[in-house]
Amino acid sequence: QAVVTASPASAAPGDPVGCGYARDEPNNGAYAKTICWFDMATYNETVSRSAPGQPMSITLPGGYTVDFSIKTRSVPGFAASQITARATPIETRFAFATEAYRGIPGRPSLYSGAELGGASYKSWDVTLDGIVVRDKSGSAVSGFSFVATDTEDNVTYPPTPTEPERLRWTSDKPLELLDTLAPSSGKGCHNVTGLGTTQVDCAGQGGASSLAEKATSILVKADTPSRFALRWTTHQQSGIAFGINTARVELNKQVDGRANPSDAFDVAVTSPEETVLGDATTGDSTT
């Protein structure tokens, strides 16, 4: 069974990195610095469709680890197709990784291929199950969110077929809207229902995305879930991505003066669980 174990160090696009942040640049998403997007480069279709799913273990900055099993299931009554991992943006006409969240390393998107068996309307549930986040001491922690979004567009194709593409987020914790890409578009994910509950739905509207008008895309999150899932239903091809949103803290100490030349000052950052996440001392220096 394939297991991802890596840290989000600098890597060339396409390299497996466990998870990675979007580039630190202006107008690159409200949470570009705090969402670490999971690299699905080692996603295994066969293992993920087994009963226990595919285990993944990912290391974050500061020594945190994220463990879960990814489980892929075709939705009864719909066609099936193979799912593969892709780099983003899937195409430049899609909002994710072009309007915002550009420069995510690796292959963060799970992307559907052509249908199997000739049917055209396809649907899958992809579930991250048994989620546990631990600090560097191995203690389970809270204070994080899981995030999922579509990486293509969620639209409809009139006049045939008239049934729109759809997205459905579910979790064992309430779901909230985190960010919106291309919000002024008349296409994409609008009329979202269920925010504040454990199931959020969005039926796509408008025609396919274009460079002139990219479809609206939303990021939905759940705080400290143990189960987090996204169902997507499409007539064509479509993609999704998952990530973890955490706080990032930097603490600096500036010494303005000392009563004694040997005075030193210690600083530390602790979690709500009272685990020391980082510590340092000034010694005889000024910082």
Side-chain angles (χ1 to χ4, degrees), residues 271-283:
S271 73
E273 291 80 18
E274 300 301 324
T275 299
V276 176
L277 305 178
D279 55 38
T281 183
T282 64

Side-chain angles (χ1 to χ4, degrees), residues 56-190:
M56 288 193 172
S57 182
I58 294 167
T59 301
L60 300 175
Y64 280 82
T65 58
V66 184
D67 295 301
F68 56 84
S69 292
I70 184 167
K71 299 178 180 179
T72 301
R73 304 290 186 265
S74 297
V75 178
F78 293 86
S81 76
Q82 293 294 112
I83 296 172
T84 57
R86 293 277 296 272
T88 56
I90 300 297
E91 294 181 30
T92 54
R93 64 187 177 94
F94 300 133
F96 187 80
T98 60
E99 293 292 295
Y101 303 100
R102 299 176 295 273
I104 300 169
R107 287 183 270 166
S109 178
L110 292 177
Y111 194 64
S112 61
E115 67 271 7
L116 304 174
S120 62
Y121 209 25
K122 305 171 284 293
S123 188
W124 311 260
D125 287 312
V126 176
T127 303
L128 309 187
D129 202 11
I131 298 166
V132 179
V133 179
R134 301 183 187 277
D135 62 23
K136 63 182 181 181
S137 73
S139 300
V141 298
S142 57
F144 63 89
S145 297
F146 264 49
V147 183
T149 188
D150 62 306
T151 57
E152 205 204 58
D153 59 8
N154 186 50
V155 294
T156 190
Y157 293 92
T160 301
T162 57
E163 185 69 20
E165 296 181 310
R166 298 180 182 275
L167 297 171
R168 171 174 290 178
W169 292 260
T170 56
S171 179
D172 60 336
K173 298 293 177 64
L175 296 154
E176 301 291 348
L177 180 65
L178 184 67
D179 202 1
T180 303
L181 310 184
S184 61
S185 173
K187 305 173 180 180
C189 204
H190 297 275

